[in-house]
């Protein structure tokens, strides 16, 4: 959450800055609103494209924009109107003031423009003013594939979430390709032909750069059998990934420039490199295992802090750091958004304990946060056990905890 708070401070300061520094804040705001008001995550992608299309039309000659505003922009805006109206009427100004302000601006621009076109008063559209207002946006100005967290677009898809997590260990560019396809899956079918041409060119560039990136293997003295086996596995995986990139490159070389990319097909193709088709069967086990570990950590950390047992507390802090990447990349994406946000609070609590350690003082507010988060996690565990097929035992979970802690302790990057 540190990056989130830093980016919030940057918005508050209203300074000229790199837009990428705002992504943690932008993504968090949109995720919270989606969770609180049950707004589909793809709404933000559609809205982003509607803003980009509006900019494109406003930069055209006035005599040519009436027809596309009526036939293209109006129906596209209509796909966002229900959620947009809900946000404007229900979302708190105090908590989401910046985002809500820009939503109001865009709502005004589109409705005013469509109204003038309906009345045959296109020449009165203040194009330069509207373009300037959009260009000054910080949270909604077209972000394209960075509109929302890619994990939000893969929400609920175990194979995609796990594939993206595993891809980080083998090929960072593959993660970028997956993120692009997740975004394009929502945007491509409704994009205008000229925009699809630009998206195709961008995708081809991503694939080309991925193929050109060299694979680096370990060079070390005392090369062990274990290192050889690990490197061999990585070499095979890298080869399979390159094979998929070449397959895509060959397919795209024959595709019309404005054709809709088959994003689901390529996403599934990457999933097949890492996971069998039956891997989704582990979804319920994964949720129960990981939330149970988080619940154990919270319970033990609270007890250790109250007893001033610093060794026990430190173990829980280390364990939380060990499981964090997987829980944030995969497990959180399998949960209802409200529960996923509570998982974020769990890590915030552990971050705070880590920051305070070894001088730990728990206020009444922290006690309440501990207990509330623990209750939410326990309730979700029970819900999954009732509605899903769970084949993992408490003993399996405890063994996993010991293994995770052991691997974390052996990692030289975690050494004090």
């Amino acid at each position: 959450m540190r990056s989130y708070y830093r980016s919030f401070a940057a918005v508050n300061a209203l300074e000229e800055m790199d837009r990428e520094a705002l992504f943690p804040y932008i993504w968090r705001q949109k995720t919270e609103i989606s969770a609180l008001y049950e707004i589909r995550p793809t709404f933000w992608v559609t809205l982003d494209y509607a803003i980009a299309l509006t900019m494109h039309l406003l930069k055209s000659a006035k005599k040519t924009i009436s027809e596309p505003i009526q036939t293209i922009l109006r129906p596209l805006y209509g796909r966002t109107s229900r959620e947009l109206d809900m946000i404007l009427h229900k979302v708190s100004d105090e908590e989401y003031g910046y985002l809500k302000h820009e939503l109001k601006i865009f709502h005004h621009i589109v409705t005013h423009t469509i109204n003038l076109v309906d009345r045959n008063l296109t020449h009165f559209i203040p194009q330069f003013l509207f373009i300037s207002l959009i260009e000054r946006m910080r949270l909604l100005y077209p972000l394209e594939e960075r509109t929302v967290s890619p994990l939000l677009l893969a929400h609920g898809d175990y194979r995609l979430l796990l594939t993206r997590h595993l891809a980080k260990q083998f090929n960072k560019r593959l993660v970028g390709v997956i993120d692009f396809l997740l975004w394009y899956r929502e945007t491509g079918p409704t994009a205008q032909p000229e925009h699809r041409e630009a998206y195709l060119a961008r995708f081809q560039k991503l694939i080309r750069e991925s193929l050109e990136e060299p694979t680096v293997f370990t060079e070390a003295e005392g090369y062990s059998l274990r290192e050889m086996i690990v490197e061999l596995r990585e070499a095979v995986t890298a080869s399979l990934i390159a094979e998929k990139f070449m397959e895509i490159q060959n397919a795209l070389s024959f595709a019309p420039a404005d054709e809709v990319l088959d994003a689901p097909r390529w996403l599934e193709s990457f999933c097949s490199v890492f996971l069998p088709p039956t891997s989704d069967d582990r979804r319920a086990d994964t949720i129960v295992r990981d939330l149970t570990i988080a619940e154990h950590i919270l319970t033990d950390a609270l007890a250790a802090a109250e007893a001033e047992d610093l060794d026990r507390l430190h173990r829980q802090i280390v364990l939380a750091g060990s499981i964090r990447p997987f829980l944030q990349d995969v497990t959180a994406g399998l949960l209802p958004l409200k529960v996923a946000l509570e998982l974020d609070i769990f890590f915030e609590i552990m971050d705070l304990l880590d920051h305070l350690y070894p001088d730990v003082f728990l206020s009444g507010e922290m006690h309440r946060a501990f207990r509330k988060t623990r209750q939410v996690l326990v309730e979700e565990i029970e819900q999954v056990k009732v509605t899903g097929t769970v084949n993992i035992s408490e003993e399996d979970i405890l063994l996993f905890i010991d293994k995770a802690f052991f691997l974390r302790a052996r990692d030289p990057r975690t050494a004090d």
Side-chain angles (χ1 to χ4, degrees):
M1 290 298 288
R2 290 193 185 97
S3 60
Y4 169 77
Y5 292 123
R6 282 197 296 269
S7 58
F8 173 79
V11 176
N12 192 48
L14 297 177
E15 299 170 348
E16 290 295 328
M17 60 171 296
D18 181 1
R19 288 287 297 283
E20 290 197 8
L22 290 177
F23 286 147
Y25 175 77
I26 295 170
W27 291 352
R28 176 76 179 198
Q29 291 264 295
K30 292 176 178 178
T31 301
E32 287 184 0
I33 291 174
S34 294
L36 291 172
Y37 299 97
E38 297 183 350
I39 290 175
R40 55 194 170 89
T42 54
F43 156 76
W44 303 105
V45 180
T46 305
L47 178 71
D48 185 85
Y49 181 65
I51 295 171
L53 182 61
T54 301
M55 280 281 288
H56 176 73
L57 294 175
L58 288 172
K59 289 180 178 179
S60 305
K62 287 188 177 181
K63 62 182 180 180
T64 65
I65 65 175
S66 294
E67 193 271 337
I69 285 175
Q70 291 284 23
T71 61
I72 302 172
L73 181 59
R74 183 193 286 271
L76 182 64
Y77 179 72
R79 291 176 54 198
T80 69
S81 58
R82 184 186 69 82
E83 290 95 337
L84 186 53
D85 287 344
M86 182 189 298
I87 293 171
L88 293 178
H89 286 96
K90 293 187 176 181
V91 168
S92 163
D93 288 311
E94 289 75 18
E95 293 183 80
Y96 305 101
Y98 294 111
L99 183 58
K100 189 172 177 180
H101 174 66
E102 293 186 3
L103 288 168
K104 286 180 180 177
I105 288 174
F106 180 63
H107 173 70
H108 172 76
I109 288 172
V110 175
T111 54
H112 188 63
T113 299
I114 290 176
N115 183 48
L116 289 173
V117 170
D118 286 345
R119 296 163 62 187
N120 292 320
L121 297 174
T122 307
H123 53 284
F124 283 127
I125 298 174
Q127 288 171 278
F128 294 113
L129 171 62
F130 285 171
I131 291 170
S132 175
L133 287 172
I134 293 175
E135 288 178 337
R136 288 166 58 190
M137 288 180 177
R138 294 175 177 271
L139 311 185
L140 288 180
Y141 179 69
L143 301 167
E144 298 187 312
E145 67 263 34
R146 306 302 296 276
T147 305
V148 293
S149 167
L151 298 176
L152 202 60
L153 294 179
H155 187 264
D157 192 325
Y158 178 80
R159 297 184 77 236
L160 260 179
L161 291 164
L162 187 54
T163 294
R164 187 179 182 278
H165 176 73
L166 295 172
K168 289 182 177 181
Q169 304 171 41
F170 293 95
N171 190 310
K172 293 294 194 299
R173 290 193 183 275
L174 174 54
V175 179
V177 171
I178 290 172
D179 291 351
F180 178 90
L181 288 170
L182 285 169
W183 166 80
Y184 185 92
R185 184 173 63 179
E186 311 304 330
T187 303
T190 58
Q192 294 305 293
E194 63 267 35
H195 296 156
R196 287 203 295 269
E197 288 184 28
Y199 299 155
L200 174 63
R202 190 183 315 163
F203 187 47
Q204 288 174 318
K205 182 173 182 288
L206 285 173
I207 297 298
R208 186 170 59 251
E209 291 173 345
S210 299
L211 281 168
E212 292 171 353
E213 185 171 86
T215 302
V216 179
F217 297 108
T218 305
E219 293 183 11
E221 295 181 5
Y223 197 61
S224 68
L225 178 61
R226 179 181 180 278
E227 287 170 328
M228 184 188 75
I229 293 171
V230 169
E231 188 165 281
L232 179 61
R233 179 173 66 92
E234 291 178 351
V236 171
T237 304
S239 176
L240 291 172
I241 292 171
E243 184 180 300
K244 297 300 180 185
F245 284 147
M246 292 180 67
E247 183 183 341
I248 293 174
Q249 189 176 56
N250 291 336
L252 296 183
S253 64
F254 297 102
D258 63 346
E259 184 176 271
V260 179
L261 294 172
D262 192 350
R265 171 191 170 188
W266 301 123
L267 287 169
E268 174 54 35
S269 182
F270 289 127
C271 288
S272 69
V273 172
F274 298 96
L275 300 165
T278 57
S279 60
D280 201 41
D281 297 343
R282 298 165 54 191
R283 173 194 175 103
D285 284 354
T286 299
I287 295 173
V288 170
R289 180 196 68 195
D290 295 347
L291 293 191
T292 300
I293 293 172
E295 187 273 326
H296 283 350
I297 291 173
L298 274 176
T299 302
D300 276 7
L302 178 59
E306 290 176 336
E308 298 184 359
D309 185 341
L310 296 183
D311 287 342
R312 184 181 177 189
L313 177 58
H314 184 260
R315 176 183 172 87
Q316 302 313 312
I317 292 171
V318 171
L319 182 57
S322 178
I323 65 172
R324 183 173 196 154
F326 188 88
L327 264 67
Q328 290 190 324
D329 279 356
V330 181
T331 315
L334 302 174
L335 303 170
L337 290 182
K338 289 183 180 179
V339 181
L341 289 173
E342 205 66 40
L343 199 59
D344 281 346
I345 294 173
F346 158 69
F347 285 115
E348 289 178 40
I349 291 171
M350 300 310 297
D351 280 345
L352 179 59
L353 291 176
D354 190 17
H355 177 72
L356 294 174
Y357 187 88
D359 301 317
V360 178
F361 169 76
L362 298 183
S363 64
E365 184 177 354
M366 281 193 66
H367 273 88
R368 288 190 291 274
F370 263 93
R371 293 191 172 93
K372 178 180 179 293
T373 299
R374 182 182 177 278
Q375 179 183 353
V376 171
L377 298 183
V378 169
E379 289 175 354
E380 185 62 22
I381 291 169
E382 293 306 313
Q383 180 68 21
V384 173
K385 286 181 177 178
V386 169
T387 58
T389 303
V390 177
N391 298 306
I392 191 167
S393 67
E394 183 72 15
E395 290 74 19
D396 294 330
I397 294 170
L398 292 175
L399 284 172
F400 185 88
I401 291 174
D402 287 340
K403 182 178 179 181
F405 184 81
F406 176 70
L407 292 174
R408 174 80 172 182
R410 287 189 58 187
D411 188 342
R413 293 171 297 181
T414 64
D416 293 334

